[in-house]
Amino acid sequence: MDHQKIKELIGQPLYEVWCGLCSAIDAAYNAEHLRSGGGRAWDHEYKFRKGGKTLCALYAREKRMGFLIIFGKEERARFESIRNDFSEYIRSTYDSAKTYHDGKWVMSDFGAAHGEPVQDLRARAQLFQIVLLFFIVPHTKKACRQTACLSFS
């Protein structure tokens, strides 16, 4: 699915979030991209993988966008050590996520159908912060500094 179709599917406000996340992740991580159908719940999936492991994935369907982060054992311990630094939204999303053999799969679902306001910039920024804090060290320190300054407008 090309960018125009994703934009039409999820709408302009969510597409801006989608692009912001993609740009920031690309700037910080030398990750492989995999596109596929979204399975039963989504129309499109866009994974970021490194070293054979999925770091995170974006999902799209009509007027909704999902952002999945997989927390391994070390990432879970790090999150738990600073969990009070995050909003109630992030903590409850993390706490309600299912844990599988390969980690805790934390999905944030954006869109009116889910009740999450598209305009909740703090939640989006915190989700992005989690990606920066918990995954493989960015391939350059410069990219990490640049990425940390990105905002979602």
Side-chain angles (χ1 to χ4, degrees):
M1 184 175 287
D2 67 23
H3 287 282
Q4 184 60 34
K5 288 181 182 174
I6 291 172
K7 183 178 180 179
E8 291 169 7
L9 182 64
I10 65 178
Q12 181 65 35
L14 289 176
Y15 182 71
E16 290 172 12
V17 174
W18 178 287
C19 290
L21 287 167
C22 287
S23 295
I25 295 165
D26 284 338
Y29 304 97
N30 188 19
E32 173 188 6
H33 301 165
L34 295 175
R35 293 177 183 263
S36 68
R40 293 177 304 209
W42 300 92
D43 295 332
H44 182 73
E45 175 185 58
Y46 189 59
K47 287 184 183 178
F48 294 86
R49 294 178 53 88
K50 183 145 180 127
K53 295 182 180 181
T54 299
L55 302 174
C56 57
L58 294 170
Y59 295 88
R61 71 176 178 197
E62 186 70 29
K63 304 297 181 209
R64 287 176 64 187
M65 181 191 102
F67 183 43
L68 172 72
I69 303 170
I70 301 172
F71 289 79
K73 184 178 180 180
E74 290 178 25
E75 291 85 12
R76 289 194 315 263
R78 262 189 263 161
F79 181 85
E80 289 298 333
S81 72
I82 60 170
R83 69 177 286 121
N84 291 330
D85 293 342
F86 295 100
S87 69
E88 177 59 33
Y89 169 77
I90 297 295
R91 292 191 308 267
S92 65
T93 301
Y94 177 86
D95 291 342
S96 65
K98 187 162 181 151
T99 302
Y100 296 95
H101 72 281
D102 59 347
K104 190 170 187 82
W105 291 32
V106 179
M107 171 68 93
S108 182
D109 186 348
F110 296 98
H114 183 65
E116 175 66 22
V118 173
Q119 292 75 23
D120 190 350
L121 299 177
R122 286 179 294 165
R124 285 187 220 133
Q126 283 196 326
L127 286 170
F128 176 65
Q129 181 182 4
I130 290 171
V131 173
L132 288 178
L133 287 172
F134 294 118
F135 290 116
I136 299 167
V137 176
H139 63 277
T140 69
K141 287 184 181 181
K142 180 180 178 187
C144 185
R145 284 193 304 272
Q146 290 171 341
T147 303
C149 295
L150 291 176
S151 63
F152 298 98
S153 51

